[in-house]
Amino acid sequence: MSNSGHPKDHGRRRGLMLVLSSPSGAGKTTLSKMLLEEFTDVKLSVSATTRPPRPGETDGKDYHFRTPDQFKDMIARGEFLEWAFVFDKYYGTPKADTVARLEAGEDVLFDVDWQGADALHDQMPNDVVSVFILPPSIDALKARLAGRAGSTDQLVARRMEDAKREIMHWRRYDYVVVNDELKAAYQRLKRILLVERLKRLRQLDLEDHVRMLLGEG
Ligand code: ADP
Ligand code: 5GP
């Protein structure tokens, strides 16, 4: 079984869109990786972009790399759930992959800022489950940012300012997880996923099941 020992849910289910946001350094990437490793039926959404691949990046895995003309055609055809123009380049979340996965009973993980989370919720309100990751303290956040490879005092200071702006949006989210102790925070995130899978709207066989219980099937 793909879910490494979790009890199997009854019947078929529609997947969900697990949208994670956090101020940079709070642990979103770390928690996402843990979830993707444990749950093979959770897949990370792959965005499209017009920026060139960095060394080691693969088309279709890290991003769908597109030319500006291709990207604009995709916008015109309504192929994005959301898109943005960041640092002179286009970035967007393609809709078709996500919809196919949800229908196949797989969950899709999104690592986006609060504006991205809002846009995804606007497009797919019944499918989005949003989680905001918070650090246990400002000092811990600073230490985590400083501890990351390639960090400088200037970069940390800028990220701390950005972090405060991002934290202000915490009330928009369905759930908030304080990433104090990593294992404990991961368990909270996992519980959110497991319980959200049981929502009535996501259990696709319930109509038939109840009809059977009532002797109508
Ligand atoms: P984000 O993706 O939110 O920017 P990362 O997942 O890259 O954050 O985490 C930032 C740094 O903090 C990394 O070095 C990571 O190993 C560390 N970290 C993450 N969670 C914890 C935790 N609960 N306790 C201590 N360090 C952590
Ligand atoms: P990078 O070029 O470093 O991979 O990403 C640059 C920025 O683009 C990051 O802030 C990242 O969060 C943002 N980004 C990546 N994919 C998407 C997307 O699909 N939609 C939006 N709105 N932003 C994205």
Side-chain angles (χ1 to χ4, degrees):
M1 194 172 61
S2 59
N3 282 354
S4 51
H6 303 134
K8 192 168 169 13
D9 294 335
H10 179 83
R12 292 173 305 133
R13 69 178 182 90
R14 179 174 171 82
L16 57 86
M17 295 164 67
L18 190 65
V19 177
L20 297 188
S21 306
S22 76
S24 179
K28 185 177 49 169
T29 310
T30 308
L31 289 165
S32 300
K33 274 195 190 142
M34 291 168 81
L35 206 66
L36 292 166
E37 269 168 29
E38 182 169 2
F39 292 86
T40 53
D41 51 358
V42 178
K43 300 274 160 58
L44 191 63
S45 167
V46 179
S47 297
T49 183
T50 57
R51 79 150 166 77
R54 295 188 187 126
E57 286 184 333
T58 316
D59 185 37
K61 184 169 166 279
D62 299 287
Y63 279 105
H64 300 290
F65 295 101
R66 296 291 179 261
T67 65
D69 282 346
Q70 287 171 333
F71 200 101
K72 285 178 205 159
D73 285 347
M74 289 173 78
I75 296 174
R77 290 196 296 263
E79 291 181 18
F80 289 113
L81 285 172
E82 63 83 41
W83 63 270
F85 196 60
V86 188
F87 310 128
D88 228 26
K89 304 288 175 201
Y90 288 98
Y91 291 87
T93 307
K95 183 169 184 173
D97 290 358
T98 292
V99 169
R101 283 181 179 157
L102 298 180
E103 287 174 357
E106 290 182 348
D107 305 312
V108 187
L109 184 64
F110 296 84
D111 171 339
V112 292
D113 65 6
W114 71 268
Q115 281 162 314
D118 259 11
L120 291 174
H121 183 265
D122 283 349
Q123 293 292 312
M124 313 281 277
N126 290 332
D127 294 305
V128 165
V129 175
S130 61
V131 184
F132 199 59
I133 314 287
L134 282 178
S137 67
I138 283 294
D139 284 349
L141 183 66
K142 210 181 217 171
R144 287 178 198 174
L145 282 171
R148 262 197 326 210
S151 77
T152 60
D153 285 354
Q154 203 185 2
L155 207 62
V156 171
R158 214 183 68 203
R159 287 283 164 102
M160 291 300 291
E161 284 312 306
D162 292 347
K164 286 181 183 163
R165 271 197 294 278
E166 186 77 11
I167 288 170
M168 290 192 314
H169 301 285
W170 68 280
R171 282 193 188 84
R172 295 170 185 272
Y173 290 77
D174 298 320
Y175 298 91
V176 175
V177 169
V178 177
N179 181 15
D180 39 19
E181 202 271 309
L182 185 60
K183 277 194 185 140
Y186 177 65
Q187 289 304 320
R188 287 177 215 130
L189 181 61
K190 197 167 127 175
R191 291 203 318 258
I192 293 167
L193 174 70
L194 292 175
V195 81
E196 282 286 344
R197 286 179 169 182
L198 293 173
K199 271 238 165 117
R200 174 170 50 81
L201 284 174
R202 303 200 170 104
Q203 297 197 54
L204 300 178
D205 291 332
L206 281 185
E207 294 283 347
D208 287 346
H209 185 73
V210 172
R211 227 175 281 131
M212 180 272 289
L213 291 175
L214 296 178
E216 294 170 359

